[in-house]
Amino acid sequence: MSIFSTLEGVSSTVFSNIFIQLPYPEGDLSGQTVIVTGSNQGLGFEASRHLLRLGVEKLIMAVRNLKKGEAARQELLQSTSREESSVEVWPLDMDSYVSVKSFASRAAALPRLDVLLANAGLIANTFTVSEEDERTITVNVVSTFLLVALLVPKLQESASKFNITPRITIPNSALHYIASLEQLDPQNEGGIFESLNNKEATNMAGRYPLSKLLVLFGVRAFADQFAQSKAPLVIINTPNPSFCKSQLARETDNVGLRVGEKLLARSTEMGSRALVHAVMADEKSNGQYLTNCHIHSPSCIVTNGKGVLIQEAFFKELVTKLEKIAPGVTSAQSSSLGLSRKNQDV
């Protein structure tokens, strides 16, 4: 990482949290069906409250714990005075590929799908393997894009049937500015994912920023593919809600993080406004990193020549991995996903 990227990430967060109030979400989402993962607490919960207030016809709360999800559902219904039928709680464990595939199969039977707000994520303190990768990478990156790929056909079907432009929103972080590129070198033996799974070479303190950098690469790559596809456009973007009070760091014992949260963090409700803005953003937001409800330049790590090469290599590996997890998700549905032959021939 460069000192300039680090300074930009830190300064933008401090400035945003002290001086900028995000606009209160306004608009009309009547008739829409929206999925929000990780919606029983934190940013996902507050974003869900806004979405219901704006008239979403059906909110699917995708949660790991159904009991906690149902409690959150009741609180949302009470605070928004919406009817019982407007909110459903479905099980989704981003630690499990089987769970992700089962959830997507159920979602495919929905009458329509307008929005996927893929909010679920974690910061892990220790190196543990989930499925075939380090857990942060599995949850924040692989399972997230697996869910995206599995739901794209439904989103595009809805686009054609209801004349809409569906959205996929994956929250990001200014911490991507400080991510190390050491394990992302395409020349590393075995490739990027194998390098990320090298426990001895992994600094877990930097793993969450790295996962958000990979999300940026993935969003930009998917956006390129969607734009090239002949299928109806699906907008995919990645907003930064900035440093917020939430349950994201529930698994870490980082004292500095907890102190910083008390002193500097935005309220969860304030941060959720950035997610709702992204969900409602126009085509200009496709493939973009958003900060303070505006398109913002990501780290130069993302946009420079080296970043372009890393993105290409990462996306090729990701497509291969997704095809292995769910055979046919990319090759058989390539016309829907818009995946180019270059990205399939890996």
Side-chain angles (χ1 to χ4, degrees):
M1 77 190 79
S2 73
I3 185 64
F4 299 106
S5 289
T6 301
L7 289 174
E8 182 173 359
V10 172
S11 62
S12 66
T13 299
V14 172
F15 179 83
S16 296
N17 287 21
I18 293 177
F19 296 108
I20 295 180
Q21 295 286 308
L22 301 182
Y24 193 68
E26 301 290 353
D28 182 8
L29 299 179
S30 299
Q32 297 197 19
T33 297
V34 177
I35 292 172
V36 182
T37 69
S39 46
N40 64 291
Q41 61 187 1
L43 291 168
F45 177 79
E46 293 297 340
S48 295
R49 198 197 309 268
H50 279 302
L51 292 168
L52 285 170
R53 179 180 58 79
L54 296 175
V56 164
E57 182 172 325
K58 179 74 71 176
L59 171 69
I60 307 296
M61 300 179 68
V63 301
R64 284 193 305 167
N65 186 308
L66 289 177
K67 183 176 180 180
K68 291 181 179 179
E70 181 56 35
R73 173 180 177 269
Q74 291 301 323
E75 185 176 345
L76 286 174
L77 291 172
Q78 183 176 12
S79 66
T80 59
S81 300
R82 292 293 303 273
E83 60 277 9
E84 290 273 336
S85 61
S86 64
V87 185
E88 296 181 13
V89 179
W90 293 9
L92 174 62
D93 184 355
M94 299 295 281
D95 260 333
S96 165
Y97 297 151
V98 169
S99 179
V100 174
K101 289 189 285 186
S102 176
F103 179 92
S105 178
R106 184 178 180 184
L110 288 166
R112 67 184 282 174
L113 180 59
D114 298 76
V115 172
L116 167 63
L117 173 50
N119 168 74
L122 61 82
I123 297 176
N125 201 39
T126 57
F127 190 106
T128 57
V129 174
S130 174
E131 294 290 357
E132 58 186 20
D133 294 292
E134 186 276 316
R135 189 169 176 233
T136 311
I137 301 301
T138 294
V139 172
N140 295 1
V141 182
V142 181
S143 284
T144 295
F145 285 115
L146 174 62
L147 184 61
V148 166
L150 288 167
L151 290 182
V152 163
K154 184 64 187 182
L155 289 162
Q156 293 181 328
E157 172 194 293
S158 299
S160 296
K161 188 173 181 180
F162 298 99
N163 193 28
I164 60 173
T165 304
R167 272 96 170 147
I168 298 168
T169 291
I170 308 173
N172 215 289
S173 170
L175 289 174
H176 85 272
Y177 284 96
I178 66 171
S180 170
L181 299 185
E182 186 175 351
Q183 291 181 290
L184 300 185
D185 189 338
Q187 301 303 315
N188 286 344
E189 186 176 355
I192 291 174
F193 280 101
E194 185 170 322
S195 180
L196 292 171
N197 287 328
N198 184 339
K199 183 177 181 179
E200 288 69 30
T202 296
N203 172 16
M204 287 304 295
R207 184 44 58 103
Y208 179 75
L210 184 57
S211 76
K212 289 304 177 181
L213 177 60
L214 292 175
V215 166
L216 255 166
F217 285 137
V219 164
R220 290 165 65 88
F222 267 97
D224 286 344
Q225 302 299 327
F226 292 159
Q228 294 172 23
S229 173
K230 295 181 180 179
L233 178 66
V234 175
I235 292 171
I236 182 169
N237 55 36
T238 183
N240 166 31
S242 197
F243 188 24
C244 300
K245 295 179 174 67
S246 73
Q247 297 299 309
L248 180 63
R250 60 190 176 275
E251 297 188 22
T252 181
D253 56 6
N254 189 318
V255 176
L257 180 62
R258 298 187 184 280
V259 171
E261 184 175 84
K262 290 183 178 181
L263 295 176
L264 185 62
R266 279 175 169 162
S267 71
T268 311
E269 185 279 323
M270 181 64 69
S272 75
R273 298 180 187 187
L275 306 190
V276 177
H277 168 266
V279 161
M280 301 174 72
D282 62 22
E283 293 183 14
K284 293 179 182 178
S285 74
N286 191 37
Q288 299 296 325
Y289 172 70
L290 311 174
T291 291
N292 296 326
C293 300
H294 295 285
I295 294 173
H296 189 79
S297 296
S299 169
C300 61
I301 293 170
V302 178
T303 57
N304 64 21
K306 185 172 183 179
V308 170
L309 294 176
I310 293 173
Q311 177 178 306
E312 182 177 357
F314 164 70
F315 192 55
K316 284 183 177 181
E317 288 191 37
L318 178 64
V319 167
T320 299
K321 183 178 286 287
L322 296 182
E323 187 65 26
K324 179 181 176 183
I325 297 166
V329 71
T330 60
S331 58
Q333 299 171 359
S334 59
S335 60
S336 177
L337 281 172
L339 292 169
S340 65
R341 182 171 300 278
K342 177 177 68 174
N343 287 319
Q344 294 179 66
D345 294 342
V346 292

